Amino acid sequence: MSSISSAASIPVLQHDAIALKQWIKQQALALGFADCVIAKPDAQAEMPRFEEYLKRGYHADMHYLEENLEKRADPKLLVPGTKSIICVRMNYLVETPKPRYVPNEPNSAIIARYARGRDYHKIMRGRLKTLASKIKEKVGEFESRPFADSAPIFEKSLAESAGMGWTGKHTLLIHKKSGSFFVLGELFTSLDLPFDEPATAHCGSCSACIDICPTQAIVEPYMLDARRCIAYLTIEYKGIIAEELRAGIGNRIFGCDDCQLICPWNSFAQKASISDFNPRHGLNDISLLEIWQWDELTFLTHTEGSPIRRTGYQSFKRNIAIGLGNAPYSGLIVEQLIQAKSQHDDIVNVHIDWAIEQQLLKQLASQQK
């Protein structure tokens, strides 16, 4: 495990540390980060909520979340010698959505906006390494380690503790002037830097995200049941999706943005400053039937360097099958589903059978009118 030697920490006077912190923030913004704050390496405050989350089983089969709890609470155990954590965020919207509006596009394959371009994990880590190099050019050698959703870190809690926003009732971080369409990254450092102060929360009595959730996954404010969450079901989960949840999934084939789209704070959502988040292969406007035609080679080609790779080909086709079952009746959809049955595993075929049944029920209903 990497460690940060205490001998490598930078002893600076307080006024120098303040100036260095401001200079680091300027460099971060110049690299395309939308914000940069300095957090204390301490996330103990998040533990009671997280332990309750685990106790209720809301983490589904993500059993890795049960591990390394001590390191999650105390980042200094993850990277010994850490004295400050530089937290950054990157906006990923390419187009600003209409305020408080979830579009109804039943024949479209809906992919979460963060996943339509390059995999942000690589973008984030690369730019954090560049930031570390720039700091070393200024102050000399120090120890650092970048992270982008790649270790047992309470990244939202750390960012929140340093004023990057507050945790909304949907459990995502919200910034008063930028909404929530952004991703987070961290640079653990041996630098002695002054910590930023937390922001205040501004959800108030609003329950829009809870009310809009298609599968009622936000079981109470600030508590999300992954077993019902479309993002978990369509990305992380590899099994048979419960039949009672399939209608709610609709045509969302990778992730879900509904709780963000409806949030009033996203009236202030900012667009990405770099081109890496631009959609590839028309993934911002592609039909269910068109993407259903992808064979495995096409899937692998079109998702190279994309977070969509994470779901795997068979689970991806499972998700599309659900979308086709939820689409308006089409004889072509039924034909395409039947033809594909021999090409997929048993799990996908369960969803294909369901989709065919849903399509035929809609046909029958239209004939009886």
Side-chain angles (χ1 to χ4, degrees):
M1 177 175 292
S2 297
S3 63
I4 291 179
S5 168
S6 57
S9 61
I10 305 297
V12 288
L13 297 174
Q14 187 63 24
H15 68 275
D16 293 330
I18 292 173
L20 176 59
K21 181 173 86 167
Q22 293 307 119
W23 181 87
I24 289 172
K25 291 186 176 187
Q26 292 169 1
Q27 300 306 305
L29 295 178
L31 284 170
F33 295 117
D35 198 4
C36 175
V37 297
I38 311 301
K40 181 180 180 181
D42 179 1
Q44 297 284 349
E46 180 65 12
M47 282 306 296
R49 187 206 66 81
F50 191 67
E51 288 174 338
E52 179 64 22
Y53 171 82
L54 295 175
K55 180 182 176 182
R56 296 187 190 183
Y58 289 167
H59 58 311
D61 63 359
M62 295 182 287
H63 301 299
Y64 62 88
L65 292 176
E66 303 167 13
E67 303 168 357
N68 297 307
L69 295 184
E70 299 85 358
K71 292 177 182 175
R72 291 182 185 276
D74 185 358
K76 296 186 298 296
L77 296 177
L78 178 66
V79 184
T82 296
K83 293 183 176 294
S84 63
I85 299 176
I86 300 172
C87 299
V88 296
R89 63 180 175 85
M90 299 183 79
N91 299 324
Y92 60 79
L93 283 181
V94 175
E95 296 180 358
T96 304
K98 295 179 182 178
R100 306 196 70 173
Y101 175 72
V102 178
N104 179 30
E105 301 167 332
N107 289 304
S108 295
I110 304 301
I111 293 170
R113 283 155 178 78
Y114 83 89
R116 297 175 182 179
R118 282 192 64 201
D119 188 341
Y120 80 86
H121 298 87
K122 298 174 184 178
I123 304 168
M124 183 72 76
R125 282 195 295 270
R127 290 180 185 245
L128 284 170
K129 288 178 181 178
T130 301
L131 178 60
S133 296
K134 287 182 174 293
I135 299 171
K136 285 181 181 179
E137 290 173 4
K138 184 173 181 66
V139 303
E141 284 297 318
F142 71 100
E143 297 294 330
S144 65
R145 191 174 170 194
F147 295 98
D149 193 26
S150 55
I153 299 170
F154 284 138
E155 59 177 8
K156 285 184 291 186
S157 179
L158 289 170
E160 181 176 22
S161 73
M164 193 173 280
W166 72 93
T167 298
K169 293 178 183 179
H170 48 25
T171 75
L172 300 172
L173 205 63
I174 303 174
H175 188 276
K176 200 171 184 179
K177 295 181 180 179
S178 299
S180 62
F181 285 102
F182 52 77
V183 289
L184 302 174
E186 301 80 38
L187 186 67
F188 283 43
T189 84
S190 61
L191 297 170
D192 275 314
L193 296 172
F195 307 129
D196 287 307
E197 295 297 319
T200 53
H202 298 278
C203 283
S205 60
C206 179
S207 62
C209 60
I210 298 173
D211 300 336
I212 198 70
C213 180
T215 52
Q216 293 81 56
I218 308 171
V219 294
E220 63 184 73
Y222 317 107
M223 194 63 76
L224 180 78
D225 186 349
R227 297 169 300 185
R228 303 186 64 86
C229 178
I230 295 173
Y232 166 76
L233 291 170
T234 58
I235 300 172
E236 302 291 340
Y237 184 59
K238 305 304 180 188
I240 296 173
I241 294 176
E243 193 166 331
E244 65 268 18
L245 297 175
R246 294 175 197 168
I249 290 172
N251 55 337
R252 302 164 190 84
I253 66 167
F254 189 93
C256 180
D257 289 328
D258 287 20
C259 62
Q260 297 193 81
L261 290 169
I262 203 69
C263 176
W265 288 107
N266 276 320
S267 299
F268 306 104
Q270 303 294 310
K271 290 196 282 189
S273 61
I274 59 175
S275 62
D276 299 85
F277 291 107
N278 289 350
R280 296 174 166 188
H281 307 293
L283 291 178
N284 60 323
D285 184 21
I286 192 167
S287 73
L288 287 164
L289 272 177
E290 182 181 352
I291 205 166
W292 179 250
Q293 302 300 319
W294 287 11
D295 58 18
E296 188 164 9
L297 179 59
T298 304
F299 171 79
L300 292 174
T301 301
H302 285 7
T303 60
E304 186 175 359
S306 162
I308 297 174
R309 273 277 182 97
R310 184 176 180 86
T311 194
Y313 178 64
Q314 293 295 336
S315 293
F316 193 61
K317 296 306 285 276
R318 173 202 63 185
N319 300 342
I320 303 168
I322 292 174
L324 289 169
N326 287 320
Y329 170 74
S330 163
L332 184 57
I333 287 177
V334 176
E335 177 185 330
Q336 293 290 327
L337 286 166
I338 293 172
Q339 288 178 359
K341 281 206 63 177
S342 62
Q343 304 168 21
H344 297 295
D345 63 22
D346 291 343
I347 289 177
V348 179
N349 283 333
V350 166
H351 299 82
I352 290 177
D353 288 338
W354 175 85
I356 293 170
E357 180 185 18
Q358 296 304 304
Q359 283 287 310
L360 295 178
L361 286 172
K362 290 170 189 172
Q363 181 191 31
L364 180 62
S366 65
Q367 290 172 347
Q368 292 176 343
K369 286 183 180 178

